[in-house]
Amino acid sequence: MRALHDNGVECVIVGGVALVLHGATRVTLDLDVLYERSAENIERLVRAVARFAPRLRADNGEPIDAPFLFDVKTVAAGANFTLYTEEFDLDLLAATDDLPSYAAIIHQAQRIHTVDGMSFDVLSLEALLRIKKRLNRIKDQLAIPEIEALIEVRDLERGDAEA
């Protein structure tokens, strides 16, 4: 996340890390990022991520033993990348069923500031809840009560602040 921030990558954090940034107690082992597809942003994204020597990742979480060059040309020609690095797993998303593009969902994000001075656009709790309900996987079902509780606490805090 520091590399994305320091390189000025235009992106929205989605998935488990987004929930953690909203205050969830879940543990997640990968970072899911919906990125803006301009040539300039792809250059910033590659500059941020290439130093971690990413490799393609299989569904089982293991790196795929195949040649892979992570560069501007590859990212511009592709869209979604499921990557493995020695430090972390990273899903770079140009679009999904629920997230059609950066431009289409940036209005569903909120800026969150971290304690170490970084700030990120993070998908809203409401959007995360919609996605988890639609995906309906066991891990998503388990996250739903916590997301609903985070929304409730946030709304209560907003009510107190307005009073």
Side-chain angles (χ1 to χ4, degrees):
M1 289 179 61
R2 166 80 49 203
L4 296 173
H5 176 269
D6 290 351
N7 284 279
V9 176
E10 292 179 64
C11 62
V12 175
I13 307 298
V14 299
V17 171
L19 287 173
V20 170
L21 289 170
H22 280 293
T25 59
R26 302 216 157 274
V27 173
T28 185
L29 302 175
D30 70 337
L31 175 62
D32 303 307
V33 174
L34 183 79
Y35 65 99
E36 197 274 324
R37 295 273 303 161
S38 70
E40 298 81 14
N41 197 58
I42 289 173
E43 287 179 20
R44 290 189 296 265
L45 176 67
V46 169
R47 189 170 47 248
V49 175
R51 69 181 191 188
F52 298 103
R55 298 166 56 193
L56 294 175
R57 187 178 82 236
D59 289 342
N60 67 2
E62 295 296 318
I64 295 172
D65 188 23
F68 176 69
L69 180 60
F70 186 79
D71 63 5
V72 170
K73 185 177 178 181
T74 299
V75 176
N80 296 347
F81 297 89
T82 305
L83 302 173
Y84 167 92
T85 76
E86 291 294 326
E87 292 83 10
F88 56 89
D89 290 339
L90 175 65
D91 294 345
L92 296 177
L93 309 169
T96 69
D97 291 340
D98 296 298
L99 307 168
S101 70
Y102 174 85
I105 63 101
I106 188 64
H107 70 280
Q108 296 178 50
Q110 71 180 84
R111 179 61 57 140
I112 291 183
H113 303 279
T114 65
V115 294
D116 54 356
M118 296 186 294
S119 59
F120 295 96
D121 291 318
V122 178
L123 195 60
S124 72
L125 286 168
E126 288 79 7
L128 289 163
L129 181 61
R130 278 193 311 275
I131 292 168
K132 295 293 187 188
K133 285 182 175 180
R134 189 195 69 74
L135 291 174
N136 200 32
R137 302 172 298 196
I138 290 176
K139 69 178 185 175
D140 299 310
Q141 292 173 17
L142 293 171
I144 289 171
E146 187 171 22
I147 298 170
E148 292 172 336
L150 287 168
I151 291 170
E152 187 175 335
V153 167
R154 181 207 59 207
D155 292 349
L156 287 170
E157 288 173 350
R158 284 183 182 167
D160 287 346
E162 292 172 5

